[in-house]
Amino acid sequence: MRGGNEMFTLEDCLTSFTGSLIAHAALAVYLFVIMDVRGWRILKKLPVLLLSPLAASLLQVGLYMLIPSCVLVRYYISSFAVLLMCTFWARWAWRTEFWRAFSAVCMGGVFQVSTSCLSQILLLNSELQFTVVVYLVVVPISALLLHRLRFGHWFRLLLEEGFGPRRTSLFLFALEAAMEAFLILQGGIQPDYLIPYYALVLAMAALEAGLVVYLGQRLDTARKVAAQQDVIAQQQLYEQDLESIRQEVRAFRHDYKNLLAGLSE
């Protein structure tokens, strides 16, 4: 954090842009897993995402000039602006509705923050270039693990058949905001407790991902049970229709026999 009398230098701008660019790259990888939609057309739209870290860096400079002493306010405003910019990009890239894109970006933000914490554990107090190397290793491995768990499928099912897209979006936004709050609080943690602190943040991210998978599986099970009940109900109605047809045929045969008997007499 900076005092009110220190200047926001060009080196600070470049550092902020580089860090934001790395975070956006990790977020883009997680979005491809969360959205669970393949297509080369989306890869062609990735360069547009570069506008978000550039705009975020310029916004931070502008906010520093307006409110130099309010560090937390600047962080909240810039983080929410990045969240909205990434949401609009995801909505445009995947051609989906706003709330689904917003939910995906919030969930991807949770994974991005947890990846940052894991990098801090592996390379505590290391230089930026080493952190980039860790990102290049950790992000693909974690994304592959989420893909194997079919996280995108369960996430989509949660949005479609859960508590509604808006409620789910607000719930995921609260989770992402909590992760961001933990990331802010790391400045007040003593160095001896940083590794357990980062491990706790990772555990929270794993629990959140597990909660999404669990709720998605429960909804899928409920949907299958409801489908089976519908099939059983249709079979019962079919059997009732067959029984009514049998009774009508019996009545017709009885009347037909009586008619033949009357004609023979």
Side-chain angles (χ1 to χ4, degrees):
M1 295 184 180
R2 300 178 169 273
N5 297 325
E6 295 186 19
M7 295 297 295
F8 203 87
T9 63
L10 179 60
E11 182 181 359
D12 295 329
C13 294
L14 293 177
T15 303
S16 175
F17 175 76
T18 304
S20 181
L21 185 63
I22 296 172
H24 277 76
L27 178 64
V29 173
Y30 290 125
L31 283 177
F32 274 89
V33 177
I34 294 172
M35 299 301 289
D36 196 26
V37 177
R38 300 177 180 86
W40 290 105
R41 61 177 180 83
I42 301 176
L43 292 177
K44 296 178 180 179
K45 298 178 180 179
L46 274 177
V48 182
L49 188 60
L50 296 176
L51 296 176
S52 180
L54 179 61
S57 301
L58 295 176
L59 178 61
Q60 288 180 0
V61 175
L63 291 175
Y64 180 80
M65 296 177 63
L66 292 175
I67 44 176
S69 59
C70 301
V71 180
L72 292 179
V73 175
R74 298 203 310 265
Y75 181 83
Y76 290 143
I77 294 176
S78 60
S79 297
F80 189 72
V82 168
L83 185 67
L84 288 180
M85 287 186 290
C86 292
T87 299
F88 286 119
W89 176 82
R91 182 186 181 188
W92 169 67
W94 277 275
R95 297 177 182 177
T96 184
E97 62 273 9
F98 174 81
W99 291 110
R100 183 183 179 187
F102 184 75
S103 300
V105 171
C106 289
M107 196 73 245
V110 171
F111 292 143
Q112 186 271 322
V113 172
S114 62
T115 304
S116 176
C117 292
L118 182 58
S119 302
Q120 294 291 341
I121 292 176
L122 297 177
L123 294 173
L124 194 62
N125 298 324
S126 298
E127 298 295 332
L128 179 62
Q129 57 268 24
F130 295 105
T131 306
V132 174
V133 173
V134 173
Y135 257 69
L136 293 177
V137 176
V138 174
V139 172
I141 293 176
S142 57
L144 180 61
L145 178 61
L146 291 172
H147 178 69
R148 291 293 181 87
L149 293 174
R150 300 179 64 196
F151 184 85
H153 171 73
W154 305 123
F155 184 82
R156 184 177 68 252
L157 186 63
L158 179 63
L159 290 179
E160 292 176 354
E161 301 188 14
F163 307 103
R166 293 187 180 182
R167 292 182 180 180
T168 306
S169 300
L170 294 177
F171 173 71
L172 294 174
F173 174 72
L175 295 181
E176 202 276 336
M179 294 294 290
E180 293 288 345
F182 275 102
L183 194 62
I184 295 173
L185 293 176
Q186 70 177 350
I189 304 298
Q190 297 181 4
D192 295 337
Y193 298 99
L194 277 177
I195 292 180
Y197 174 81
Y198 290 138
L200 177 62
V201 176
L202 284 174
M204 286 188 60
L207 288 176
E208 292 172 9
L211 178 62
V212 172
V213 174
Y214 173 75
L215 292 176
Q217 290 177 348
R218 288 290 301 270
L219 290 172
D220 185 56
T221 302
R223 183 179 62 177
K224 290 180 179 178
V225 171
Q228 290 177 355
Q229 291 178 351
D230 290 339
V231 171
I232 293 173
Q234 291 177 1
Q235 289 179 349
Q236 291 176 350
L237 291 175
Y238 179 71
E239 292 176 355
Q240 291 177 0
D241 292 338
L242 286 179
E243 184 63 27
S244 62
I245 291 173
R246 290 194 191 99
Q247 292 179 358
E248 291 177 358
V249 170
R250 290 173 183 174
F252 176 76
R253 290 178 60 187
H254 183 268
D255 295 339
Y256 183 69
K257 289 180 179 180
N258 292 335
L259 178 62
L260 290 179
L263 290 175
S264 62
E265 290 178 359

